[in-house]
Amino acid sequence: MDSKTKTADKTATATLRATADVNRIEAPVTIKAYFMCAFAAFGGIFFGYDSGYINGVLAMNYVIAQFTGLPESAKADKGLWMIPAGQQSLIVSILSAGTFIGALFAGDLADRMGRKITIISSCGLFLAGVAMQIAAENFKLLTAGRAIAGLGVGGVSCTIILYMSEIAPRKIRGALVASYQFCITLGLLAASVACYLTQNRNDSGSYRIPIGLQGVWAIILAVGLMFFPESPRYHVMHGNIDKAKQCLAKLRGQEVDSPFIQEELAEIVANHEHETNLMPSTTYLSSWANCFKGGIRKSNSNLRRTILGTSLQMMQQWTGVNFVFYFGTTFFTNLGTIQDPFLISMVTTLVNVCSTPISFWTVERYGRRALLIWGALGMVVCQFIVAIIGTATQGGPAETKVMIAFICIYIFFFASTWGPGAWVVIGEIFPISIRSRGVALSTASNWLWNCIIALITPCLVGKDRANLGAKVFWIWGSLCFGCFLYSYFLVFETKGLSLEQVDQMMEETNPRHSKNWKPTTTFASQMGMTGDKASDPTTGNGENMSDEDASRKASGSQV
């Protein structure tokens, strides 16, 4: 931030009403404001759809014939009639490689252009990639199209979490961000249904229709966001306090001069000043370097937070769930006793969709930390049972049904815990000064490991490679046990706190005691912004009011 911006920031800050009451740092919100925050989660649909459709497309008979040149007579040999493992790996993983790059760049763009513009621009890039995939008649163009689309998906997946975390009310922030994961599952289900309905077509529509549908989701998101306000915290970072006030008022459904808007904005500004004083950044490189400052042993250091965010997203991929969604159809086909692997793959996706909404309640009732701990433990049990059955038996019809049942239970645990939980946490743990870059690095980590797993998995289970079959669940189960230990020792509880309070909590306690931490002061009071008049809930002319009276004056329809 340059000197002019700092001066403007301080001048505007001086006019804000601040509070020392930790219960008054967020304005009440209307139902309209809740829906506004929830719409942003729609970005998850085309993220999930783009990840999910490839599973079905690569198993379609027309696609196999078109992309490999194999004759119809080769269909009888299940080990031969498939896209080669190497090409499968590249087609699937190239999307993740693109998203990795897109997420990293999105962190910069979100700070320079704004969260909203970055998301809309990423949607445009994604649509260009979709057009290339629709036009594809060979392996090379399909791969290139997925790489371009990946850049757009990376930009959206990173910035949408940042945007949602910054605009959502603290009491339901976890549920709203979890709804992003729910939209991902809806996208996966929509992709499964689309592929199921077109799989038997004997023309290019078999794969072009499912591919083309994903563009619809991007258009809806981009057009919808054009009518949304920017994140107030983005404007605070750039010293535009008046614009921040207007955006916050729209998001909370309040008047611009409401005492609630004044007090919430004062807390955001005070936290930004606090972070800037602790760790100023004067150059582009120093702003990135700030993500890695502080000691590894200090729980609230930027380095520790960056490691926490990136490793949490890495471990979400370590759960192995994308093995089921990327290669499930091929895996179920190779089991040999399933008549309709497309249908089983769609059932696992349906379990994913139906299980995720549970997290809307549990993430706010029991907290982020508890969800990740118990979710990891549940996945460990299910995956080891599948691995034991796959190792100890010959995989007859009865054994296969049991394995499918426990795979579905395993997906239930993932969808209701680690699926949404990891996204919620990374949007909350970074201070405002490095939030965009911290979320970008964390999201990039998710896609990097997504890419790595997509590359190695066909080699692990392919009949022309290691051919582990169900034994691959020994690997996923062991990694999930690592997720369990990680959650217990390193993940903070952030339930019910504002983003500024999360910052304060991580300075004052450690992960295992974070559940019991309660805020006792505000950043506004620490920064000397609260006077006698400012500290009390008052009317615009300075007369004292009760919280209930101030609430009624600010808005007649709070929820």
Side-chain angles (χ1 to χ4, degrees), residues 173-193:
R173 185 178 60 243
L176 286 176
V177 177
S179 68
Y180 172 73
Q181 176 66 22
F182 177 60
C183 287
I184 292 176
T185 66
L186 287 177
L188 287 166
L189 178 62
S192 293
V193 172

Short mmCIF file of all heavy atoms in Angstrom, two decimals, residues 173-193:
data_model
loop_
_atom_site.label_atom_id
_atom_site.label_comp_id
_atom_site.label_asym_id
_atom_site.label_seq_id
_atom_site.Cartn_x
_atom_site.Cartn_y
_atom_site.Cartn_z
N ARG A 173 -20.70 -19.06 8.20
CA ARG A 173 -19.65 -19.07 7.18
C ARG A 173 -19.27 -20.50 6.81
O ARG A 173 -19.10 -20.83 5.63
CB ARG A 173 -18.43 -18.30 7.66
CG ARG A 173 -17.33 -18.17 6.60
CD ARG A 173 -16.15 -17.36 7.12
NE ARG A 173 -15.56 -17.97 8.30
CZ ARG A 173 -15.53 -17.40 9.52
NH1 ARG A 173 -16.04 -16.20 9.70
NH2 ARG A 173 -14.99 -18.04 10.54
N GLY A 174 -19.14 -21.36 7.80
CA GLY A 174 -18.78 -22.75 7.54
C GLY A 174 -19.81 -23.45 6.68
O GLY A 174 -19.47 -24.17 5.73
N ALA A 175 -21.10 -23.22 6.98
CA ALA A 175 -22.16 -23.85 6.20
C ALA A 175 -22.19 -23.33 4.78
O ALA A 175 -22.39 -24.09 3.82
CB ALA A 175 -23.50 -23.61 6.88
N LEU A 176 -21.97 -22.03 4.60
CA LEU A 176 -22.00 -21.45 3.25
C LEU A 176 -20.82 -21.94 2.41
O LEU A 176 -20.98 -22.26 1.23
CB LEU A 176 -22.00 -19.92 3.33
CG LEU A 176 -23.32 -19.29 3.77
CD1 LEU A 176 -23.16 -17.77 3.91
CD2 LEU A 176 -24.44 -19.59 2.78
N VAL A 177 -19.64 -21.99 3.01
CA VAL A 177 -18.48 -22.50 2.27
C VAL A 177 -18.65 -23.99 2.00
O VAL A 177 -18.25 -24.50 0.94
CB VAL A 177 -17.17 -22.20 3.02
CG1 VAL A 177 -15.97 -22.79 2.27
CG2 VAL A 177 -16.98 -20.69 3.18
N ALA A 178 -19.27 -24.72 2.95
CA ALA A 178 -19.54 -26.14 2.74
C ALA A 178 -20.50 -26.34 1.57
O ALA A 178 -20.43 -27.36 0.88
CB ALA A 178 -20.11 -26.76 4.01
N SER A 179 -21.37 -25.36 1.34
CA SER A 179 -22.29 -25.47 0.21
C SER A 179 -21.54 -25.44 -1.12
O SER A 179 -22.04 -25.94 -2.13
CB SER A 179 -23.34 -24.34 0.26
OG SER A 179 -22.74 -23.08 0.02
N TYR A 180 -20.34 -24.88 -1.12
CA TYR A 180 -19.49 -24.93 -2.31
C TYR A 180 -19.13 -26.38 -2.64
O TYR A 180 -19.18 -26.81 -3.79
CB TYR A 180 -18.23 -24.10 -2.07
CG TYR A 180 -17.16 -24.22 -3.13
CD1 TYR A 180 -17.31 -23.62 -4.37
CD2 TYR A 180 -15.99 -24.93 -2.89
CE1 TYR A 180 -16.34 -23.73 -5.34
CE2 TYR A 180 -15.00 -25.03 -3.86
CZ TYR A 180 -15.18 -24.44 -5.08
OH TYR A 180 -14.21 -24.54 -6.05
N GLN A 181 -18.77 -27.15 -1.60
CA GLN A 181 -18.48 -28.56 -1.80
C GLN A 181 -19.73 -29.30 -2.27
O GLN A 181 -19.67 -30.21 -3.10
CB GLN A 181 -17.95 -29.19 -0.51
CG GLN A 181 -17.70 -30.68 -0.57
CD GLN A 181 -16.58 -31.07 -1.51
OE1 GLN A 181 -15.72 -30.24 -1.81
NE2 GLN A 181 -16.57 -32.32 -1.97
N PHE A 182 -20.90 -28.91 -1.74
CA PHE A 182 -22.15 -29.52 -2.17
C PHE A 182 -22.38 -29.27 -3.65
O PHE A 182 -22.82 -30.18 -4.38
CB PHE A 182 -23.31 -28.95 -1.35
CG PHE A 182 -24.66 -29.47 -1.76
CD1 PHE A 182 -24.94 -30.82 -1.71
CD2 PHE A 182 -25.65 -28.59 -2.21
CE1 PHE A 182 -26.20 -31.31 -2.09
CE2 PHE A 182 -26.89 -29.07 -2.59
CZ PHE A 182 -27.17 -30.43 -2.52
N CYS A 183 -22.08 -28.07 -4.10
CA CYS A 183 -22.22 -27.76 -5.53
C CYS A 183 -21.23 -28.57 -6.36
O CYS A 183 -21.54 -28.95 -7.50
CB CYS A 183 -22.04 -26.27 -5.77
SG CYS A 183 -23.43 -25.26 -5.22
N ILE A 184 -20.06 -28.83 -5.81
CA ILE A 184 -19.10 -29.71 -6.51
C ILE A 184 -19.72 -31.09 -6.71
O ILE A 184 -19.65 -31.69 -7.79
CB ILE A 184 -17.78 -29.82 -5.73
CG1 ILE A 184 -17.03 -28.48 -5.74
CG2 ILE A 184 -16.88 -30.91 -6.33
CD1 ILE A 184 -15.76 -28.48 -4.91
N THR A 185 -20.36 -31.60 -5.65
CA THR A 185 -20.98 -32.94 -5.75
C THR A 185 -22.15 -32.93 -6.74
O THR A 185 -22.37 -33.91 -7.44
CB THR A 185 -21.47 -33.43 -4.38
OG1 THR A 185 -22.53 -32.59 -3.90
CG2 THR A 185 -20.34 -33.40 -3.35
N LEU A 186 -22.90 -31.81 -6.78
CA LEU A 186 -23.97 -31.70 -7.76
C LEU A 186 -23.41 -31.74 -9.18
O LEU A 186 -23.99 -32.35 -10.08
CB LEU A 186 -24.76 -30.41 -7.55
CG LEU A 186 -25.69 -30.34 -6.34
CD1 LEU A 186 -26.34 -28.97 -6.25
CD2 LEU A 186 -26.76 -31.43 -6.41
N GLY A 187 -22.26 -31.08 -9.36
CA GLY A 187 -21.60 -31.11 -10.67
C GLY A 187 -21.15 -32.50 -11.05
O GLY A 187 -21.31 -32.94 -12.20
N LEU A 188 -20.61 -33.22 -10.08
CA LEU A 188 -20.19 -34.61 -10.33
C LEU A 188 -21.38 -35.48 -10.70
O LEU A 188 -21.31 -36.31 -11.62
CB LEU A 188 -19.50 -35.17 -9.08
CG LEU A 188 -18.10 -34.65 -8.78
CD1 LEU A 188 -17.69 -35.02 -7.35
CD2 LEU A 188 -17.09 -35.22 -9.77
N LEU A 189 -22.50 -35.28 -9.97
CA LEU A 189 -23.71 -36.07 -10.27
C LEU A 189 -24.25 -35.72 -11.65
O LEU A 189 -24.63 -36.61 -12.42
CB LEU A 189 -24.77 -35.80 -9.20
CG LEU A 189 -26.10 -36.53 -9.41
CD1 LEU A 189 -25.90 -38.04 -9.38
CD2 LEU A 189 -27.13 -36.11 -8.36
N ALA A 190 -24.31 -34.43 -11.97
CA ALA A 190 -24.81 -34.01 -13.28
C ALA A 190 -23.96 -34.61 -14.39
O ALA A 190 -24.48 -35.04 -15.43
CB ALA A 190 -24.81 -32.49 -13.37
N ALA A 191 -22.64 -34.67 -14.18
CA ALA A 191 -21.75 -35.26 -15.18
C ALA A 191 -22.02 -36.75 -15.34
O ALA A 191 -22.04 -37.28 -16.45
CB ALA A 191 -20.29 -35.02 -14.77
N SER A 192 -22.24 -37.44 -14.21
CA SER A 192 -22.52 -38.88 -14.27
C SER A 192 -23.82 -39.16 -15.01
O SER A 192 -23.90 -40.08 -15.83
CB SER A 192 -22.60 -39.45 -12.85
OG SER A 192 -21.36 -39.42 -12.21
N VAL A 193 -24.84 -38.35 -14.72
CA VAL A 193 -26.13 -38.54 -15.39
C VAL A 193 -26.00 -38.26 -16.89
O VAL A 193 -26.52 -39.02 -17.73
CB VAL A 193 -27.19 -37.61 -14.76
CG1 VAL A 193 -28.48 -37.64 -15.59
CG2 VAL A 193 -27.47 -38.02 -13.32
#
